[in-house]
Amino acid sequence: MKFEIKKKDNKNVIFIEDILFDWEFELKDLEEAVMFAGNDECIKKAIHGDIKSYLLESLSEFLQKEVTISDIINAIKTGKI
Amino acid sequence: MITVEENDDRFYIKKSKIKNAGKGVFAKRDIKKNEFLNIIGVAVKLNSPSMECTHYADRYKFAYRDKDFDRVIVPMGYGGIVNHTTNKQEQNVEIRCDRSNNSSNPSAGFMSYYFIKNVKKDEEVLGNYNNSFQKTLDWAKPKSESINKDINEWLEFLNYDLYDLKTLKELIKLD
C-alpha cells in the first residue's frame, strides 16, 4: 500500500493510498500527564508507552492489519506499508 | 541490624476517631497544605523470602516505585498507621511519590503523605485507601516495559514529528 507523509494544518500526517489517516492526541492531556509524571522515569515511560499503543492500535485498525513502530519507520523510508 | 526510628516531631499517636480503627496519627501543631509526612520503613523485594516472612505486615505494605517495580515498603513510622476514610471532606493527605523529597531520616524513601489541605493542631491525619497509587503502578508497569523494549526505535520515530509527536519527546524527556 502507498504510504506518504504530507503536511496538513502545519502537521506531518500519514496518507495511505491517498486517504488521510486522521489521528491526534490531546495536548492538554499530555500537559496534565507531565504534571502527573513529575521526575518519575517509570511514569514518563508509561505515558510514552500509552501514546505509542494508542497510535499503533489506531493505525492497525485503519490498515486492517497489525503494524509496529518498525513498520512505520520502514514505510516512511520506502513509501510502502 | 538496622535501627529504624521515626523522628518527625509534628505528630503524635492516640486512639483514632474512626470507629474500630485502633490508633491513629494526629497533628502536634498546625500543618500547612503541601507539607508532607515521609513514609519511613524498609524496602522488601517482591516474591522474595523477606516478602513472605513479613506477611504479618501485608495489609500495611506500600507499593514502592523503583526502576523495576519490584519492592514494597514495610512502614515503620507514622505513615504505617495513618487511617483512611472514604469521606472526602475528612481526607487531608494523599500518597505521592516524589524523588525530590529531602528527608533527614535515612529510612525515608520517596513515598510520602502530602497534606492536601491545612490541618489544625490535634486533628487526625486521614487519607484515602482507594488504592489509586497501586492502580497507577498496575497501569504504568506494562506501558513502561513496552517503551523499554524498543526505546531507541521509538525515539527515532518521534524525530519524524508525525502528528506533532515531537512535542511528546520535548515535554516528557526520557533518559
Side-chain angles (χ1 to χ4, degrees):
Chain A
M1 296 171 94
K2 190 166 80 172
F3 181 102
E4 291 173 290
I5 305 294
K6 293 181 183 174
K7 282 269 183 203
K8 184 177 180 286
D9 300 333
N10 223 22
K11 277 185 197 170
N12 296 321
V13 298
I14 296 172
F15 278 79
I16 311 276
E17 297 289 341
D18 299 318
I19 301 169
L20 170 68
F21 169 56
D22 196 6
W23 184 87
E24 63 179 348
F25 66 96
E26 284 291 329
L27 193 58
K28 190 171 168 286
D29 289 349
L30 184 58
E31 283 165 354
E32 279 176 17
V34 172
M35 302 265 290
F36 175 70
N39 286 320
D40 191 284
E41 205 57 31
C42 291
I43 298 291
K44 287 197 291 188
K45 283 180 182 168
I47 293 165
H48 275 258
D50 200 36
I51 292 178
K52 176 185 165 186
S53 57
Y54 170 46
L55 171 71
L56 291 178
E57 280 165 21
S58 308
L59 187 57
S60 297
E61 194 181 317
F62 185 81
L63 290 168
Q64 298 284 298
K65 69 171 182 180
E66 203 165 308
V67 289
T68 63
I69 291 299
S70 175
D71 293 333
I72 304 173
I73 292 173
N74 201 37
I76 293 169
K77 291 172 182 169
T78 63
K80 284 189 167 54
I81 194 158
Chain B
M1 179 69 76
I2 302 166
T3 301
V4 179
E5 196 175 3
E6 175 63 273
N7 55 15
D8 196 325
D9 59 8
R10 296 169 299 167
F11 305 100
Y12 67 98
I13 295 169
K14 73 167 186 178
K15 191 174 181 309
S16 173
K17 66 179 189 180
I18 305 286
K19 200 177 172 187
N20 299 323
K23 291 178 178 176
V25 179
F26 291 77
K28 201 180 272 183
R29 61 157 171 83
D30 289 356
I31 293 179
K32 290 202 168 83
K33 183 181 172 181
N34 289 330
E35 285 188 48
F36 56 87
L37 161 60
N38 274 128
I39 295 168
I40 68 162
V42 293
V44 174
K45 276 195 169 179
L46 290 171
N47 306 316
S48 68
S50 293
M51 184 71 181
E52 284 191 63
C53 293
T54 54
H55 70 89
Y56 58 85
D58 280 353
R59 59 187 286 245
Y60 298 102
K61 287 172 180 169
F62 290 85
Y64 175 49
R65 187 192 309 165
D66 206 341
K67 278 185 181 167
D68 298 321
F69 293 87
D70 65 345
R71 284 144 214 247
V72 295
I73 298 172
V74 180
M76 294 184 170
Y78 293 127
I81 59 165
V82 166
N83 284 314
H84 291 249
T85 174
T86 52
N87 182 339
K88 286 200 170 184
Q89 298 301 314
E90 290 184 335
Q91 291 164 8
N92 46 35
V93 288
E94 66 182 21
I95 295 175
R96 290 187 204 162
C97 176
D98 186 351
R99 287 171 193 274
S100 62
N101 281 355
N102 291 313
S103 173
S104 57
N105 193 317
S107 299
F110 303 115
M111 301 286 296
S112 303
Y113 277 111
Y114 269 78
F115 285 84
I116 54 176
K117 56 178 82 161
N118 293 333
V119 165
K120 291 278 181 203
K121 180 177 180 286
D122 296 322
E123 199 176 319
E124 184 166 6
V125 179
L126 292 169
N128 178 8
Y129 260 3
N130 69 358
N131 290 328
S132 60
F133 186 72
Q134 187 58 50
K135 282 177 190 162
T136 301
L137 292 184
D138 292 344
W139 166 82
K141 186 177 177 181
K143 304 271 186 191
S144 71
E145 281 171 357
S146 83
I147 286 295
N148 276 338
K149 211 164 56 178
D150 299 307
I151 191 162
N152 291 332
E153 184 182 68
W154 175 242
L155 293 175
E156 181 191 345
F157 172 74
L158 292 181
N159 281 337
Y160 290 106
D161 197 21
L162 302 182
Y163 301 91
D164 273 346
L165 275 169
K166 213 170 181 178
T167 313
L168 172 65
K169 190 178 178 181
E170 285 159 5
L171 280 177
I172 305 183
K173 292 187 173 68
L174 299 178
D175 289 340

